[in-house]
Amino acid sequence: MPNRVLIADDDRAVRESLARALKLHGYEVVTAADGVETLTRARRESFDVLVVDVLMPYVDGVAVCRVLRADGDRTPVLMLTARGDTADRVAGLDAGADDYLPKPFKVPELLARLRALQRRATLSPAAQGKEPVGGVLRFASLRIDPDARRAWWADEELQLSKTEFDLLELMVRNDGIVLAHSTISSRIWGYDCGPHTNNLACYIGYLRRKLTDAGAPDLIHTVRAVGYGVRRP
């Protein structure tokens, strides 16, 4: 069966061009022109991945993602954002988006990101009908429950997106090791983001901000031109 993708964008030209490109690569494509239609289709039909533009009428892409996550829908979401608009990216990721792609973009990069999202979904314990391995992880006053996908600093729960949780869990499981940029990217996104993209740096920044807001000291250590790791305060 072909992979089903929902493309949600209020720009008809964008919807149609993306639909043609994805169909040529074997995808089954459904389109939506606004946030209300997107939510209706996502709730009634099954998709392997959602490609959602931030700026849509009635209900924007960030709200769409937030509502779906509140419903318990874990379908991977690739958010399309305006180039350089950090606020859109932050809002989308905080709402539960799994990845973002700034406009304008090349179709091959979109296809690569879709493949990576699908690989991550396929390899997840839930997709394989398995329970996550291991109990609660502890690091200083940080607690991570992989089964429930929840994390706390002391008594305050951290409100993390799926990717932020995956990133924090990966670093804590590798306590004392500096993980290379390429290693983290391949483990989190399924591909190497490369030295000139800022996906990873953005996520590290979001994660640091949420830890700081919860009262945690600086746990994430940066090794310039190498990667990131966690170190005890």
Side-chain angles (χ1 to χ4, degrees):
M1 293 292 291
N3 293 306
R4 299 193 79 227
V5 178
L6 173 61
I7 298 174
D9 197 302
D10 64 328
D11 188 323
R12 180 178 178 180
V14 171
R15 290 197 310 274
E16 293 182 350
S17 63
L18 289 182
R20 284 195 300 269
L22 293 184
K23 287 176 181 177
L24 286 173
H25 286 82
Y27 288 89
E28 179 182 336
V29 180
V30 174
T31 62
D34 59 60
V36 172
E37 184 182 4
T38 302
L39 285 172
T40 299
R41 286 190 171 276
R43 284 168 162 170
R44 292 179 178 177
E45 304 175 46
S46 177
F47 297 97
D48 295 291
V49 65
L50 309 178
V51 179
V52 181
D53 188 38
V54 169
L55 298 177
M56 291 192 296
Y58 308 124
V59 180
D60 66 24
V62 173
V64 166
C65 191
R66 187 176 292 114
V67 169
L68 291 176
R69 295 304 186 236
D71 287 347
D73 189 328
R74 311 318 298 175
T75 304
V77 174
L78 173 61
M79 193 77 74
L80 304 181
T81 67
R83 178 181 292 277
D85 195 339
T86 303
D88 280 350
R89 296 199 296 268
V90 171
L93 296 171
D94 283 347
D98 299 277
D99 199 0
Y100 68 84
L101 185 60
K103 293 180 176 181
F105 54 82
K106 301 292 187 182
V107 171
E109 182 176 6
L110 172 66
L111 292 169
R113 289 174 185 264
L114 291 180
R115 291 192 297 269
L117 286 175
Q118 291 170 268
R119 284 196 299 271
R120 289 172 59 192
T122 302
L123 294 173
S124 70
Q128 298 179 37
K130 302 176 182 178
E131 291 296 323
V133 177
V136 174
L137 304 176
R138 298 181 184 274
F139 180 82
S141 295
L142 180 67
R143 289 179 296 126
I144 300 175
D145 186 340
D147 292 348
R149 295 190 65 81
R150 300 172 68 186
W152 299 262
W153 175 261
D155 294 326
E156 182 168 347
E157 184 167 0
L158 304 173
Q159 301 302 315
L160 305 178
S161 70
K162 180 182 184 300
T163 303
E164 289 166 352
F165 184 92
D166 291 343
L167 179 57
L168 182 61
E169 180 186 1
L170 175 64
M171 290 191 293
V172 169
R173 286 191 183 278
N174 290 276
D175 174 17
I177 299 174
V178 175
L179 299 170
H181 296 121
S182 59
T183 298
I184 297 175
S185 295
S186 63
R187 293 283 297 276
I188 298 300
W189 286 282
Y191 59 88
D192 185 354
C193 290
H196 303 299
T197 59
N198 63 354
N199 277 31
L200 179 54
C202 286
Y203 274 107
I204 290 291
Y206 306 150
L207 198 49
R208 278 176 167 151
R209 184 191 68 196
K210 291 183 178 182
L211 286 165
T212 298
D213 289 346
D218 189 8
L219 301 177
I220 301 175
H221 178 52
T222 302
V223 177
R224 190 179 298 276
V226 178
Y228 302 96
V230 290
R231 61 182 178 186
R232 297 180 183 276

